[in-house]
Amino acid sequence: MQIRKATINDAEQIISFKKKTIPICAKNYYSKDIIDHWTNNSTAEHLIESIKSDRVRFVAEEEGKIIGEASLNKEKNSIKTLYVDIDFQGKGIGKALFQKCEDELKKNGIKKVEIIAALCSESFYASRGYKKIKNKLIDFFGMKMENV
């Protein structure tokens, strides 16, 4: 597995595995309406805009296939996204992507990191030593979605 910076050419592969993974991982935490809204608004166009913006985005790639992605915003000291293809979870890919994001932030002198994450990923971040401050309702493309 290789971790590298994402390019706009990765967008379709990232969206493909996210649309497959989100409904499975989120089903015990969110309603079908929220999951449908989440997946329907996860588009290559939005992802390309994000890649072009102030976010730094990494992908995990294996044999030419994108199997994970993570992004951060250095200006806001925050890790914004972390997804691993459902077929590759439990193999250390999320941990490696997360470490890459932390290293990138540390390289820029950032010592305190904010993460707003889906409820279904709370245990992942807790296992990395992060503490939940509070649950937070965010506006996710016009729908309120609870996060930690």
Side-chain angles (χ1 to χ4, degrees), residues 18-119:
K18 283 173 71 171
K19 286 182 179 267
K20 175 178 72 172
T21 300
I22 291 167
I24 296 167
C25 293
K27 70 181 176 187
N28 294 326
Y29 299 89
Y30 295 103
S31 70
K32 183 179 180 331
D33 287 344
I34 290 175
I35 292 170
D36 288 346
H37 187 77
W38 188 355
T39 56
N40 291 337
N41 283 286
S42 294
T43 66
E45 294 78 23
H46 286 125
L47 191 63
I48 289 168
E49 286 304 311
S50 175
I51 290 170
K52 291 178 178 178
S53 74
D54 57 355
R55 286 195 190 177
V56 176
R57 188 174 302 272
F58 297 104
V59 294
E61 184 177 35
E62 191 168 88
E63 297 178 10
K65 180 178 180 174
I66 305 295
I67 56 175
E69 70 92 15
S71 68
L72 58 101
N73 183 315
K74 292 180 192 177
E75 287 73 33
K76 295 185 178 180
N77 301 353
S78 62
I79 296 175
K80 302 303 255 179
T81 62
L82 176 62
Y83 292 91
V84 175
D85 186 314
I86 192 70
D87 297 329
F88 293 87
Q89 290 183 5
K91 298 179 180 184
I93 296 160
K95 183 178 178 182
L97 282 164
F98 190 73
Q99 187 65 54
K100 183 74 171 173
C101 288
E102 282 187 318
D103 291 347
E104 185 75 16
L105 291 168
K106 287 177 189 173
K107 187 169 72 176
N108 289 285
I110 296 168
K111 294 179 175 32
K112 185 177 180 181
V113 177
E114 177 185 66
I115 301 169
I116 298 174
L119 298 174

